[in-house]
Amino acid sequence: MRDAVTSLIKNYDVTGRYLDRNAMDSLKAYYESGTARIAAAAIINANSPDIVRKAGIQLFEEIPELIRPGGNAYTTRRYSACLRDMDYYLRYASYALVAGDPDVLDERVLQGLRETYNSLGVPIGPTVRGIQIMKEMIKEMVTEAGINDPSFVDEPFDHMTR
Ligand code: CYC
């Protein structure tokens, strides 16, 4: 698992370069956003059950076929598997936010996920929508907490939806 700093150092090390102006700019941006990243992770930590539950309700309101007979989230077992997956996405997004790097998502969440979902018939489009709903909710909460520019919140969620 890498973070913004170890990723950058690795890139420079493979080519044997000293940290140049670009490196300093990106390090500076990372450190300057550090307090906001930690605040976002704290907000997620304090509200995770609520975020997952509300995002689930919104998702199933937007796409009610999912919880009707024949839908992939139909039956309580699959309904809860879906909310559990949303909880995974949220928790790993909070790690990636603090790390400032999506590596943890590739390694722990996304590896092999498409194949798993395809084999179980879990629809990717609605999953993407569920992740977007959580992103929107968190950006709103981060803004309410007084952070002027919540755009850094996009990174991990957009990485997973891509
Ligand atoms: C199932 N989701 C699964 C499974 C895995 C994951 C491995 C199959 C095994 C199981 O049921 O537990 C995902 N597991 C993960 C991830 C990690 C992991 C991401 C990394 C930490 O360890 N169905 C929908 C919704 C969507 C959904 C759109 C919720 C957003 O219609 C999710 N995932 C869903 C459902 C199942 C599932 C319903 C059960 C499918 C089945 O068993 O038929």
Side-chain angles (χ1 to χ4, degrees), residues 18-72:
Y18 279 93
L19 299 174
D20 57 16
R21 181 66 187 270
N22 286 336
M24 297 308 168
D25 286 347
S26 72
L27 284 170
K28 211 163 156 239
Y30 175 61
Y31 285 117
E32 280 172 359
S33 65
T35 313
R37 290 175 183 281
I38 292 167
I43 288 168
I44 293 172
N45 171 58
N47 298 284
S48 62
D50 224 42
I51 296 168
V52 170
R53 190 177 50 81
K54 286 186 184 153
I57 290 170
Q58 189 180 326
L59 177 66
F60 296 133
E61 269 171 13
E62 286 182 19
I63 316 174
E65 309 83 81
L66 291 173
I67 50 171
R68 292 201 187 118
N72 187 263

Side-chain angles (χ1 to χ4, degrees), residues 1-9 21-39 41 93-104 152-153 155-156:
M1 199 196 94
R2 292 196 298 265
D3 56 45
V5 178
T6 52
S7 284
L8 182 130
I9 290 173
R21 181 66 187 270
N22 286 336
M24 297 308 168
D25 286 347
S26 72
L27 284 170
K28 211 163 156 239
Y30 175 61
Y31 285 117
E32 280 172 359
S33 65
T35 313
R37 290 175 183 281
I38 292 167
S94 78
Y95 299 162
L97 272 175
V98 170
D101 192 287
D103 186 59
V104 66
F152 69 93
V153 172
E155 287 166 6

